[in-house]
Amino acid sequence: MLAVGVTEKDMTKDENSKFQNSILKKLDRLLGGLLAEVSSEEDFTGKSGQSTVLRLPGLGSKRVGLIGLGQSASSPSAFRGLGEAVAAAAKTAQANCVAVVLASSEGLSNESKLGIASAIASGAVLGIHEDNRYKSESKKPQLKSLDILGLGTGPELEKKLKYAEDVSSAIVFGRELVNSPANVLTPAALAEEASKIASSYSDVISANILTAEQCKELKMGSYLGVAAASDNPPYFIHLCYKPLSGPIKAKLALVGKGLTFDSGGYNIKTGPGCSIDVMKIDMGGSAAVLGSAKALGQIKPPGVEVHFIVASCENMISGTGMRPGDILTASNG
């Protein structure tokens, strides 16, 4: 499949209903005017979110698709969206080889081209991923290769694409944590995932994970009170990223909420919109934080020390749970 990213301006036609954009004009000529005809019939104007795919047997590319970028495309999110749309079209077509080209890339600086290629690649990786861990039957994506045309080659591009790959793999990791049901992703399991990150990137990341007993010694009463009714013990997760060498110019802390399930306790969530069935997502903040740790472990940026904090626990109901009105003492007194 050949996928062409087009803006609304690219789709402008002359008085003879012919494209004015040079790439679309050449492509339409090769297709005997079919591209212009279909875009008119389907009212495809290049708006963001629009796409149309033509099946063309016997012409090299079995399919040619137009993917809308909106009035103009300048932000990374627009080109990530292009990559995701291409991945979606490839899934539908069961294509295993896709080439992506922009209808208008003239006037772009080399740096811009590298950034655009990286964003398209990120979007495609995220768009093609499917979490099939809990399905008895699942279709594997057919897409084997993605060629990005006209946006450069060489070591600088390879570096950008490696960065995109590292960030995308960390986002996929975070998404899979959030997708995991609460009976699988317990506080202990979340702590285990954090430990795996530290062991995988032990050259730059260390882990200090506190048990409930250690948290009691630190008088962390507010935190332990939330976990008091659950059979799954809490784990306080602290990862630390330090660069391989060189001075540290900045220190950052990322803190992510880590409730692997939040029943609401005695004030149980009820009624329309309470979303108690999806309260497994209450650890979404921790997924973002641990995903960031995984990304930094791969990218290894210099000059910065980063601490990743997750107070992981489960809020349930039992005779040992805290009651409304109970007095709890937090670690700060």
Side-chain angles (χ1 to χ4, degrees):
M1 184 169 76
L2 172 66
V4 187
V6 296
T7 64
E8 292 178 47
K9 183 181 177 183
D10 295 330
M11 294 301 296
T12 304
K13 298 185 181 81
D14 61 21
E15 65 276 5
N16 297 315
S17 297
K18 301 294 185 183
F19 290 112
Q20 295 182 345
N21 176 275
S22 59
I23 285 182
L24 293 179
K25 186 185 292 184
K26 289 176 184 176
L27 191 56
D28 195 39
R29 189 168 63 244
L30 290 170
L31 299 177
L34 190 59
L35 210 57
E37 183 182 319
V38 169
S39 64
S40 296
E41 287 180 356
E42 296 188 4
D43 196 26
F44 179 89
T45 58
K47 289 180 180 177
S48 180
Q50 282 189 319
S51 65
T52 184
V53 179
L54 315 181
R55 182 171 173 79
L56 306 163
L59 289 176
S61 282
K62 289 183 179 179
R63 288 173 176 81
V64 173
L66 298 179
I67 313 290
L69 290 168
Q71 287 189 332
S72 62
S74 55
S75 66
S77 62
F79 293 108
R80 274 197 301 272
L82 172 60
E84 289 183 10
V86 168
K91 277 183 188 177
T92 302
Q94 295 189 346
N96 45 32
C97 299
V98 177
V100 185
V101 66
L102 299 181
S104 297
S105 59
E106 64 275 2
L108 293 173
S109 67
N110 286 336
E111 187 61 31
S112 294
K113 287 181 178 180
L114 296 178
I116 291 168
S118 174
I120 292 171
S122 293
V125 169
L126 297 175
I128 205 68
H129 173 258
E130 288 187 16
D131 189 353
N132 294 319
R133 293 171 299 161
Y134 306 110
K135 294 180 180 178
S136 55
E137 293 182 13
S138 59
K139 285 185 178 179
K140 290 186 177 180
Q142 300 290 317
L143 189 60
K144 299 290 190 293
S145 70
L146 177 78
D147 293 308
I148 301 172
L149 309 179
L151 294 176
T153 57
E156 282 301 310
L157 179 60
E158 293 299 325
K159 185 178 176 182
K160 280 278 188 183
L161 292 177
K162 176 65 169 64
Y163 179 87
E165 181 185 7
D166 291 340
V167 173
S168 297
S169 70
I171 293 171
V172 167
F173 170 74
R175 287 180 178 179
E176 291 194 344
L177 287 180
V178 175
N179 285 343
S180 298
N183 63 331
V184 172
L185 192 76
T186 60
L190 192 62
E192 178 63 24
E193 292 294 340
S195 295
K196 286 178 185 176
I197 292 171
S199 61
S200 296
Y201 310 105
S202 57
D203 55 338
V204 288
I205 294 181
S206 59
N208 183 25
I209 298 175
L210 305 180
T211 64
E213 286 302 316
Q214 290 171 305
C215 291
K216 282 178 188 174
E217 291 173 11
L218 294 170
K219 300 179 180 178
M220 298 165 75
S222 292
Y223 167 46
L224 294 171
V226 179
S230 174
D231 288 337
N232 291 307
Y235 286 89
F236 191 92
I237 300 164
H238 177 195
L239 301 184
C240 179
Y241 167 85
K242 288 184 179 179
L244 290 167
S245 61
I248 292 170
K249 299 174 183 177
K251 293 186 179 183
L252 302 173
L254 301 180
V255 183
K257 187 176 182 181
L259 260 75
T260 57
F261 190 83
D262 185 11
S263 70
Y266 280 98
N267 184 22
I268 194 165
K269 297 168 165 57
T270 61
C274 70
S275 300
I276 194 167
D277 55 317
V278 292
M279 275 299 113
K280 64 175 187 174
I281 69 170
D282 222 29
M283 42 61 63
S286 69
V289 165
L290 295 182
S292 300
K294 178 178 170 65
L296 263 66
Q298 295 174 99
I299 296 165
K300 297 177 174 49
V304 63
E305 179 180 311
V306 187
H307 296 262
F308 307 89
I309 307 293
V310 174
S312 182
C313 63
E314 184 181 54
N315 180 17
M316 298 295 281
I317 303 170
S318 82
T320 61
M322 63 174 175
R323 294 149 293 239
D326 283 1
I327 294 175
L328 305 172
T329 304
S331 61
N332 63 357

